[in-house]
Amino acid sequence: MQIGRMSKELETKQLNFGKLFKQKSFIQFFNSRQEINTLFSLLSIEEINQLVELNVIFVRCCAPSSKVNLEGITVNGNLTLVTVDTNYYSKLLPEEFVGVLLHEIGHVFNPERQNMEGEYVADNFAKQKGYDKWIISGLQKGVKNNWMGFDEQSCNLRIEKLRETK
C-alpha cells in the first residue's frame, strides 16, 4: 500500500512540475545536462505545488531581449515568469545552473524581501538544498566575466554571507 501511495505522489509531483514549463523547448534545451531532472529531485511536492499556486512559469529567453510565445495560459491574478537566459546557460556548470534556478525560486517564495536582503534569502534557499558552493562559483564567474547584474561588491557580500555557517 505504501508503494502505491508513493507512486501516486510521484505522479502528482511530476504532473505539477510539468505545469511550470509552458515553452515546449524549455525542458529539451535546459535538460541536456540533466539540470531540470536535478531540480525536480531537489524540490519537495509542497514546494512544487506552491510554485504552481503562485502561477510561476519558467521561460527561456535570450538577452538583451526576446519574444516568447506561451500557449494555453489562463491567469487569474498574478503570473510570475522566471526568465532563463540561454546565453549564460552554456557558460555555467550544470550545478551552477541548478543553483541559479534554486536562487530564483527563493525569490519567488520570498517576494517581500527586496534588495540585498532578498538576495541573501534567495541564496539561502539554494544553500538549504546544498548548492551554496555552486552559487558562490557562479557569482565569482559572473564577476570575473563582467556579466550584467554581477556587481563585485554585492556579489562579495553574498559570497561572505553564503560562507557563514548556521
Side-chain angles (χ1 to χ4, degrees):
M1 180 136 58
Q2 184 73 0
I3 294 173
R5 181 172 176 233
M6 287 300 288
S7 175
K8 181 67 174 164
E9 286 180 3
L10 181 60
E11 185 179 317
T12 301
K13 182 180 177 183
Q14 288 173 328
L15 179 67
N16 284 340
F17 188 70
K19 292 178 183 178
L20 302 173
F21 307 99
K22 300 293 185 187
Q23 284 175 307
K24 296 173 185 173
S25 63
F26 188 96
I27 291 178
Q28 292 170 335
F29 187 86
F30 290 116
N31 205 32
S32 63
R33 304 176 301 183
Q34 301 301 307
E35 294 95 327
I36 304 304
N37 290 344
T38 301
L39 182 66
F40 175 79
S41 69
L42 291 168
L43 295 174
S44 69
I45 293 170
E46 293 78 17
E47 290 165 336
I48 290 172
N49 290 343
Q50 187 176 0
L51 290 169
V52 171
E53 289 170 16
L54 292 170
N55 289 321
V56 174
I57 297 174
F58 290 81
V59 178
R60 182 172 65 94
C61 65
C62 298
S65 65
S66 59
K67 177 184 165 287
V68 176
N69 289 326
L70 300 175
E71 298 175 7
I73 303 292
T74 303
V75 179
N76 295 321
N78 292 330
L79 175 66
T80 300
L81 297 178
V82 176
T83 58
V84 182
D85 189 332
T86 57
N87 295 318
Y88 288 125
Y89 172 74
S90 63
K91 298 172 185 168
L92 294 171
L93 295 172
E95 297 85 358
E96 291 168 338
F97 182 71
V98 171
V100 168
L101 295 177
L102 290 169
H103 170 89
E104 294 308 323
I105 291 169
H107 280 300
V108 170
F109 288 160
N110 298 283
E112 72 286 353
R113 304 289 179 90
Q114 300 294 315
N115 303 317
M116 285 306 291
E117 183 185 0
E119 296 304 315
Y120 294 148
V121 170
D123 286 344
N124 192 53
F125 182 78
K127 181 177 182 174
Q128 290 171 352
K129 300 291 185 180
Y131 276 72
D132 45 327
K133 78 176 190 177
W134 300 111
I135 292 290
I136 291 169
S137 65
L139 289 169
Q140 291 169 332
K141 194 176 281 185
V143 168
K144 180 182 175 186
N145 293 298
N146 295 313
W147 292 345
M148 185 172 55
F150 286 80
D151 169 71
E152 185 173 3
Q153 183 180 3
S154 61
C155 286
N156 286 338
L157 289 171
R158 289 173 59 192
I159 290 168
E160 184 179 314
K161 190 80 162 172
L162 281 162
R163 288 184 171 150
E164 290 177 3
T165 57
K166 286 192 176 184

